[in-house]
Amino acid sequence: MDFSELLKLSEEKYAAYLLSQDLLYKKIPENQHSKLLNQSIACGKAAARDLTVADLREYCQQQAIEIDYFSENLKAENFRFVLAEFQLPNRIRINQSLLEAAEPFLAELDFLKDQRVDEILLAHELYHYIENQQQLFTTQKQLSYRAGPFKKSARVHSLSEIAAMSFAKELLGLNFSPILLNIVLLFPVAPDYSQELAKRLLLID
């Protein structure tokens, strides 16, 4: 797979893709898209700058955050792979099966040279711990809309993912979007799905 075009995409483009996948996307006024994206990216970067720590695992130990590597039976038809996840109040789970299956492919990618993929996944999930501890912008209800005669407020969950990607990129000094891990980790086990995701990312306006 050629990643050259994907590596050229801006952080805002990747953020726009994540927002477009949100269940509430159609309820968000178009003139609010840019503001929400920028607020989320800024939120993630600010959280990373505030975290003055040299070793993520040492920080997790200090905060009593559990890090669990789990295994699963990988099947190409299963498109709902979990790369990693945060479980309240203090548990981060990382998919060891995907990491092992993708290891030979990862070794061929220049942009991942000298990068520990599990560290990127850990950083991403660590943001979710921090946002909940500090009740950051991404935990709030950012959207108001009408459902018939009723006015509702809701949290746009994709904004949390956007901020987590921004957090990991800033914290680890990455020159690529962590969203690319969704493609590279799935490619060895679900190549068709992985390539389709790459195509959708390149089509974002």
Side-chain angles (χ1 to χ4, degrees):
M1 182 185 290
D2 184 3
F3 285 89
S4 58
E5 293 303 313
L6 287 166
L7 289 168
K8 294 177 185 176
L9 294 181
S10 67
E11 191 167 3
E12 289 75 17
K13 290 284 187 183
Y14 283 114
Y17 170 77
L18 290 175
L19 184 64
S20 74
Q21 301 304 298
D22 198 286
L23 293 175
L24 293 173
Y25 179 68
K26 292 183 178 179
K27 297 187 181 298
I28 305 172
E30 191 171 345
N31 62 6
Q32 291 185 23
H33 289 185
S34 180
K35 180 181 178 182
L36 289 173
L37 294 180
N38 289 331
Q39 283 181 294
S40 303
I41 291 171
C43 183
K45 288 183 177 180
R49 291 171 187 146
D50 288 342
L51 188 66
T52 54
V53 59
D55 189 312
L56 288 186
R57 292 173 190 279
E58 183 179 331
Y59 176 81
C60 288
Q61 189 174 14
Q62 291 171 355
Q63 300 297 315
I65 301 171
E66 299 176 20
I67 303 174
D68 172 32
Y69 285 81
F70 69 93
S71 300
E72 66 173 336
N73 186 18
L74 303 177
K75 295 182 180 179
E77 63 271 18
N78 180 11
F79 297 150
R80 299 190 67 181
F81 294 113
V82 174
L83 277 64
E85 64 180 357
F86 172 68
Q87 296 179 338
L88 287 168
N90 62 344
R91 190 181 187 200
I92 292 174
R93 303 179 73 237
I94 297 174
N95 193 324
Q96 182 67 34
S97 298
L98 279 178
L99 289 173
E100 291 176 353
E103 189 173 356
F105 181 55
L106 296 175
E108 298 174 1
L109 302 174
D110 288 340
F111 72 91
L112 285 175
K113 186 178 180 181
D114 302 324
Q115 297 291 345
R116 283 191 57 182
V117 172
D118 63 333
E119 207 77 355
I120 301 173
L121 296 175
L122 175 60
H124 175 106
E125 300 308 325
L126 181 57
Y127 173 78
H128 295 310
Y129 169 80
I130 291 171
E131 70 173 339
N132 280 284
Q133 287 291 307
Q134 301 180 11
Q135 289 297 292
L136 299 180
F137 164 73
T138 48
T139 65
Q140 300 166 15
K141 293 181 178 180
Q142 306 95 350
L143 177 65
S144 295
Y145 64 95
R146 300 199 72 85
F150 304 104
K151 187 174 182 180
K152 295 190 174 184
S153 296
R155 179 186 175 195
V156 181
H157 288 274
S158 62
L159 299 182
S160 177
E161 292 304 305
I162 291 167
M165 294 294 180
S166 178
F167 174 86
K169 184 178 180 183
E170 180 78 14
L171 187 68
L172 300 177
L174 304 177
N175 59 5
F176 61 90
S177 172
I179 296 175
L180 289 180
L181 295 187
N182 293 60
I183 297 173
V184 301
L185 288 177
L186 293 183
F187 184 75
V189 292
D192 291 342
Y193 178 77
S194 175
Q195 291 182 67
E196 179 59 32
L197 175 56
K199 290 177 183 176
R200 290 201 300 247
L201 284 168
L202 289 171
L203 289 174
I204 288 293
D205 293 330

